[in-house]
Amino acid sequence: MDRTRVQYVCQSCGHASAKWLGRCPSCGEWNTLVEEVERAAKPASRRPTAAEPISVAAVVLPAETRASTGLAEFDRVLGGGMVRGSVVLVGGDPGIGKCLTADARVLDPVSGDFLPIVEWADVHRPVLSLDESSYRLGRTQVIAFHDQGLRPVVVVETRLGRMLRCTSNHPLLTPDGWKAVGELTAGSRIAAPRALPYFGRDSMPEHEVKAIAYFLSDGSAQSACGVTTALPEIEADLADMARRFDLSLRVYAKKHGKAKHIRFVQPRYRRVEARKQVATALREAQARAGMSWAEWARKASVSYGLLNIWKRGGAVPGGPEFERLFRAAGAPIAGPASALRERAEMKTSMARFLESVGLRYASAAEKAVPNPVFRLPREQLALFLRILFSCDGSAYVNRHSGPGISYSTISLRLARDVQHLLLRFGLIAKLRTKHLDVDGRPYQAYELQMLGIHTAKRFLAEIGILGREEARARIGAMATPEGASTHLDTVPTGPVFWEHVQGLARQVPYKRISAQAGVKIKNRRHDRPLTRRTVEALVTAFPHPYLSKIVSGDIYWDEIRSVRPAGSARVYDMTIDGAPNFTANDLIVHNSTLLLQVSDRFAATGGRVLYVSAEESVRQTKLRAERLGATAPGLLLLAENDLDVITETVTRQRPAALVVDSIQTVFRGDVASAPGSVAQVRECAAALVRLAKEQDVATFIVGHVTKEGALAGPRVLEHLVDTVLYFEGDRHHAYRILRATKNRFGSTNEIGVFEMAGSGLIEVPNPSAAFLSERPQAAPGSTVVCAIEGSRPLLVEVQALVSPTHFGMPRRTASGVDYNRVLLLLAVLERRAGLHLAAQDAYVSIAGGISVEEPAVDLGIAAAVASSLRDRPVDPHTVVIGEVGLAGEVRAVPQLGKRLAEAARLGFVRAVVPRAANIEGPAGLELVPVPDLTAALRALV
């Protein structure tokens, strides 16, 4: 029989303990020990067998010991390419670079909730995502939520008035595929949902739905609750609402016009009668309890003086006091008594209801649709919108006989809420800002517009509006043209679109295609959009999968109006179980992938690659591969997380390379712990290492990382593998760094540089030029240094800012360089160069998101600080190289010739270098040797 053993395992280092400990004795981390139950079968007795060793001289190596991955930057970090039988562990942030701010709202298609993205942190609700093969939106599940911290963000505004705050490299779907926001400009077309036909199931009493709508539009819920209207239909509706809230109406005529202010009040004398009945209930409870009034007040912790007023019917206790009194008397609160107390209060039932939904005391500019409204079923949501448009909307026919529906409010949040609710009915509204003058004062309002006969008729049929009889009659009498299309709802075209059109009928001129489809198609401007009606006619005459997807899909191609910086904000991302995208703020946003690109490149050269995805299905991985252009026939996909199945597949297929994404989701059936636990990660990793050696297959294992940037799971994971790679980089930038921290077959100093783009990762073969591309010219506090990463010289910009401190202790900040090294250099500058920095704040940063650790950048940092302090720029064509000692001397650095050659190649004409380095520079590069820091600063600033 199997034996069970309970132990506590550290999730950070894998240390096992027989009892729970608050702090791991091995790694020192707090609260990381988790209980695990292991079942150990009694091992069968067997005789040990001896392995036969082999002479090293007899080992035969293949002709090619390494194989190129197809990405030069990746090969550089690996040490020249993949080694057969090696195991490479790759760690990276799953949500890197693609994040939304907390105010981005996401639709829950099951409940109808429209909530901020942070609501998905604790509860992984479903979302809507786009199937890129059909352009259809469908429900899918969130499987992970990522808090990405504080980052710079931009604001994207569209022609329909939608707004999204996100990081600049967050991809949006365009007609040409996914592109980062930073690549888009005004006029770019992006995908948005055409309709969101998802409603809730939490109905409310009809009079409560009406109350919310009326008080969002023409109502005021300050000290008194009332609605202003001039429509008899609304006045009758308010009277019915008052009866249902057990209230009466008090009508006040306005001085000018036909409008009336109608206030909800308690019926006359009802409050007095209710107070008397509450006083009677209190006297009866006191008599049943058999205690004096003073004793009762003391026991219930209420004022004896107030209790005397309550028992005489002069007032009633509040809710908490009422409960304490009856609890102290040992009697339950009867339902009628509680209802009487509420009726006797000064607060009306209408005021209590508006308070419960967050509308009490809300100013007109602060109003927003309460959360319960988003969960209403279709019929009640239509009723809600009908009242809103009846109060603050309009139906009209303009002077050009064009019908339209509009809604106006001074609350931007309310306008966006209504725009979203209209989308539930498939009604696309444009949000615009109106600047007016009212009584000599500037007045800003937000208007929703829906133009066109199709939209107007659909709105009146499905939602409706009270009043406006003349406009409704004119719109109803208008003939409905065939097909629905406006100047806004167009299909963007381009070379790909026209290639498909030309493929409809080979060798057939556009004139004949137009005649058969009944529309005009001209091959004059390939960038000119077509109306949706025209494309529908083409599909009807010439059925075509690509064109059918565009016409029948759920995408409306909105247009970007502006993209502008918006400071920094905390941002978030989600991992979706399905297509890697979801809808947020009624736009379709993206939510990895280096190894998929590597697998495709290697498979394209003839090698077979098995890509095992334990987190996505084959179709989901295929969608991601299509976005990246990874379609090589030799790339095999397997959606599996059972290690035994993976092992059997590798043995049968015998691929040249294996990718397992990710180790935290793979499990072994004979290990009782859950996937991702220390025991599972340790055992699965060990089994994959054995598999790689036995089958002679290069294996890449993807590992999740923690928020601190370390690989999740036990430290033994890094000891088992041959190579450990970290995919890192400053999330504020588009560049990503692939760095090796362990490599049995190459250097650990090499890095690979990639740029994050909408179609995946792009190699940066000349990172020095990339890091210096945005360098300001003649700006104080900026210098260029040359660092060595492995065998590669990198020119990067050092930026420093020195400003007087306003506090007793000056502040020092370092980004991309060692903080303690900066403190050392500041002390040397003060003592050896005579710079007064004791009363100055100092900030030092390496631009471009790269980290530099070697001391060869010391002189550049010191020069940047001095330049900022003296407000004198360093010559932008000068590169600074040298280590600074504590005595202020400038020391020689290794591989100076390689550094100077890189500087000359990029056009630098002058280099300040250590005098101890006796070297001749390349042609065209003037060398300025300096013995110490003082001489270097004289030559630079």
Side-chain angles (χ1 to χ4, degrees), residues 610 612 614 638-653 658 660 663 665-672 675 680 683-688 690-691 694-695:
L610 178 61
V612 179
L638 176 65
E640 185 58 63
N641 59 355
D642 189 332
L643 186 62
D644 293 335
V645 178
I646 296 172
T647 302
E648 182 181 348
T649 306
V650 172
T651 305
R652 187 175 65 253
Q653 296 290 336
L658 168 68
V660 179
I663 190 62
T665 54
V666 177
F667 73 93
R668 286 187 60 170
D670 55 350
V671 178
Q680 284 284 8
E683 294 301 320
C684 291
L688 287 171
R690 288 194 300 271
L691 178 66
E694 293 171 359
Q695 299 295 326

Side-chain angles (χ1 to χ4, degrees), residues 551-574:
V551 171
S552 61
D554 296 331
I555 287 183
Y556 177 96
W557 293 104
D558 204 349
E559 183 179 316
I560 288 182
R561 190 168 58 189
S562 66
V563 179
R564 65 180 189 276
S568 296
R570 198 169 190 87
V571 292
Y572 308 89
D573 194 14
M574 297 190 292

Side-chain angles (χ1 to χ4, degrees), residues 42-320:
K42 186 176 180 180
S45 59
R46 62 180 179 87
R47 296 182 61 185
T49 58
E52 189 68 30
I54 186 172
S55 170
V56 66
V59 177
V60 179
L61 294 177
E64 295 291 337
T65 57
R66 293 182 183 268
S68 174
T69 62
L71 287 176
E73 293 293 301
F74 197 73
D75 288 343
R76 174 190 290 273
V77 182
L78 288 177
M82 296 185 299
V83 177
R84 291 187 177 183
S86 65
V87 180
V88 180
L89 177 64
V90 182
D93 190 339
I96 194 165
K98 296 168 283 189
C99 311
L100 307 175
T101 56
D103 57 358
R105 291 195 289 170
V106 181
L107 171 64
D108 181 343
V110 175
S111 67
D113 275 317
F114 191 48
L115 299 171
I117 190 173
V118 292
E119 295 294 331
W120 271 254
D122 298 324
V123 181
H124 293 167
R125 307 164 182 262
V127 296
L128 286 178
S129 64
L130 182 74
D131 182 349
E132 294 182 52
S133 64
S134 63
Y135 278 178
R136 290 288 187 180
L137 287 168
R139 168 186 163 187
T140 187
Q141 188 65 36
V142 172
I143 59 176
F145 182 87
H146 311 291
D147 183 345
Q148 303 294 1
L150 194 68
R151 302 190 196 175
V153 296
V154 296
V155 173
V156 181
E157 291 189 12
T158 72
R159 189 176 185 183
L160 289 180
R162 296 192 175 109
M163 185 270 290
L164 183 73
R165 292 203 306 158
C166 59
T167 51
S168 61
N169 49 6
H170 195 110
L172 297 177
L173 182 60
T174 72
D176 299 324
W178 294 96
K179 288 189 177 181
V181 169
E183 302 176 26
L184 304 177
T185 57
S188 300
R189 304 291 290 269
I190 58 174
R194 174 170 296 280
L196 295 173
Y198 297 90
F199 300 88
R201 294 187 291 269
D202 297 345
S203 59
M204 296 172 61
E206 190 172 293
H207 63 282
E208 293 184 357
V209 176
K210 292 180 177 180
I212 294 174
Y214 281 124
F215 279 91
L216 276 176
S217 48
D218 289 337
S220 173
Q222 301 297 323
S223 57
C225 299
V227 175
T228 301
T229 183
L231 294 176
E233 301 96 322
I234 293 180
E235 189 173 349
D237 217 6
L238 296 177
D240 180 68
M241 282 172 49
R243 287 194 298 271
R244 295 180 183 276
F245 276 101
D246 200 16
L247 299 172
S248 61
L249 295 180
R250 191 172 297 165
V251 181
Y252 301 89
K254 294 290 215 178
K255 291 183 179 179
H256 306 288
K258 299 179 181 179
K260 302 175 183 178
H261 182 70
I262 302 173
R263 186 175 294 177
F264 293 85
V265 298
Q266 289 277 18
R268 192 179 298 275
Y269 304 122
R270 180 175 293 177
R271 184 178 290 119
V272 176
E273 294 173 0
R275 286 177 180 175
K276 291 179 180 179
Q277 292 174 352
V278 170
T280 301
L282 290 174
R283 289 193 295 270
E284 291 175 353
Q286 184 265 343
R288 285 195 301 270
M291 64 178 104
S292 66
W293 292 98
E295 182 184 359
W296 194 18
R298 186 171 55 256
K299 194 172 181 180
S301 300
V302 299
S303 167
Y304 177 67
L306 287 176
L307 185 56
N308 275 325
I309 296 175
W310 296 338
K311 74 178 182 180
R312 293 196 304 268
V316 292

